[in-house]
Amino acid sequence: MPVVRNALTLKETFHAKKAKPNVDKIVKKVNKEFEKTSSQIEGLVNDALKQFDSLQQQVQEPVRKLLKEVDELRDREMKRFNEEFERRLNEFHELQSSILERLGVASKDVTEDVKKQAEQAKKQAKSATSAATSAAKKAPTANSTGKKPAAKKPAAKKPAAKKPAAKKPAAKAAKPLNKSDLTLVKGIGPATAKKMKDAGITSIDQIANPSAADQEKLKAFSSVKGFDQFSTEAKKII
């Protein structure tokens, strides 16, 4: 029995030693495959980045070209606008100078007339002030004699208070009543007024004091709101 056990132990040891190199080979093989796969993935990533860079350059180039053309166009338009503006400004200055030259001749005559009118106004003002001062000097002498004519002057202002009464005729002189405008009667709108005129009611008098024929015509509008008050409202107007 001990001999058998020893034989088994040796056999197991042999198999263990033989299995260990196989595991190392597998690990090395796996590592080699992993490195190979990593390098392939890295190569694919680098290729993708290169393609992306080339694509980005292809996109950026037209955009840069377009921006350059836009800048050139803007510069040309700004230059043209400035030239046109300067030309119009020069024309405006020339027109302004010509107008001022024409007005300069007439302005001299106007200034002379203004000066004459100012001198006349000054003379009138001096005469008015001299008259006022003379009247002011005479006022104390009239009070010293015991006469009081100046005290009665406020009574002369009473007629001025009656001026508002003079406005009453103007208030009465209002616009003449347009009896053909049926909408002046309370409750009659534009649509109803048109229908009434089509029916032969063309005057407010026909509503206020309707004849027998007019009454027959007005019966067609009995369904209108406020029909019973049409005659009363029309009489108020006329």
Side-chain angles (χ1 to χ4, degrees), residues 100-133:
L100 290 175
E101 288 176 358
R102 293 178 182 178
L103 292 176
V105 178
S107 62
K108 291 180 180 179
D109 300 333
V110 173
T111 51
E112 290 177 357
D113 294 336
V114 171
K115 287 180 180 179
K116 291 178 181 179
Q117 292 178 1
E119 290 176 356
Q120 291 178 359
K122 287 180 181 179
K123 292 178 181 179
Q124 292 177 358
K126 288 180 180 179
S127 61
T129 51
S130 60
T133 51

Side-chain angles (χ1 to χ4, degrees), residues 2 42 49 57 68 76 80 85 110 113 191 198 201 220-221 233 236:
E42 187 175 357
L49 290 174
Q57 290 177 358
K68 186 178 180 181
R76 288 197 301 270
R80 187 180 65 81
F85 179 75
V110 173
D113 294 336
D198 293 339
I201 306 298
F221 303 94
E233 295 296 332
K236 289 180 182 180

Side-chain angles (χ1 to χ4, degrees), residues 80-96:
R80 187 180 65 81
F81 175 77
N82 290 329
E83 291 176 354
E84 183 68 17
F85 179 75
E86 289 178 359
R87 186 179 67 81
R88 295 290 180 89
L89 189 62
N90 292 329
E91 291 178 357
F92 175 76
H93 285 315
E94 291 176 358
L95 180 62
Q96 185 180 16

Side-chain angles (χ1 to χ4, degrees), residues 9-121:
T9 304
L10 290 171
K11 190 176 181 180
E12 291 175 355
T13 304
F14 176 76
H15 283 295
K17 288 181 179 180
K18 189 176 180 180
K20 187 175 181 180
N22 291 333
V23 172
D24 293 337
K25 287 180 181 179
I26 292 170
V27 171
K28 288 180 181 179
K29 188 175 181 180
V30 169
N31 291 333
K32 187 180 290 184
E33 291 294 331
F34 181 76
E35 290 176 357
K36 184 178 179 181
T37 305
S38 299
S39 62
Q40 289 177 354
I41 293 171
E42 187 175 357
L44 292 173
V45 171
N46 291 330
D47 292 339
L49 290 174
K50 289 179 181 178
Q51 291 178 1
F52 180 75
D53 291 336
S54 62
L55 181 63
Q56 188 176 10
Q57 290 177 358
Q58 291 175 2
V59 173
Q60 287 180 352
E61 188 65 26
V63 173
R64 289 175 182 173
K65 187 177 180 181
L66 180 62
L67 292 175
K68 186 178 180 181
E69 291 177 356
V70 171
D71 291 336
E72 292 176 354
L73 179 62
R74 183 187 61 187
D75 294 337
R76 288 197 301 270
E77 291 297 324
M78 288 298 295
K79 184 178 180 181
R80 187 180 65 81
F81 175 77
N82 290 329
E83 291 176 354
E84 183 68 17
F85 179 75
E86 289 178 359
R87 186 179 67 81
R88 295 290 180 89
L89 189 62
N90 292 329
E91 291 178 357
F92 175 76
H93 285 315
E94 291 176 358
L95 180 62
Q96 185 180 16
S97 61
S98 63
I99 292 172
L100 290 175
E101 288 176 358
R102 293 178 182 178
L103 292 176
V105 178
S107 62
K108 291 180 180 179
D109 300 333
V110 173
T111 51
E112 290 177 357
D113 294 336
V114 171
K115 287 180 180 179
K116 291 178 181 179
Q117 292 178 1
E119 290 176 356
Q120 291 178 359

